Amino acid sequence: VHFLSAVPDKSLHASLEAYRSADEDYKIIGREMYFLAPGMGNSKLTTSVIERRLGITATARNWATINKVLAL
């Protein structure tokens, strides 16, 4: 999950498609971007690309980390 600093303009969402591979998927809901990929380390859809294309800042955490934080 990428946590975004603001809700990105919907007209910018399509700018991420050039970086998404066939086995990756994402959905932006409000200030979160849910990203499904077989390996984040190999993806071209990096946090820096997301920040540049959407014009916002972002930070990413994997699902296991999010669940651990929620359990605190």
Side-chain angles (χ1 to χ4, degrees):
V1 178
H2 285 82
F3 296 98
L4 311 175
S5 63
V7 176
D9 189 314
K10 288 190 181 212
S11 66
L12 300 174
H13 292 198
S15 68
L16 300 176
E17 285 298 311
Y19 299 91
R20 184 177 69 87
S21 67
D23 58 350
E24 297 175 338
D25 198 14
Y26 68 88
K27 182 159 183 100
I28 299 172
I29 302 173
R31 290 180 52 196
E32 290 82 39
M33 179 177 157
Y34 297 89
F35 182 57
L36 181 62
M40 287 286 294
N42 298 323
S43 179
K44 292 181 183 177
L45 192 54
T46 63
T47 300
S48 61
V49 166
I50 293 165
E51 289 178 330
R52 281 194 316 270
R53 293 296 175 179
L54 299 181
I56 56 171
T57 56
T59 186
R61 299 294 179 268
N62 68 33
W63 199 247
T65 300
I66 292 170
N67 284 315
K68 286 179 184 178
V69 170
L70 287 172
L72 294 176

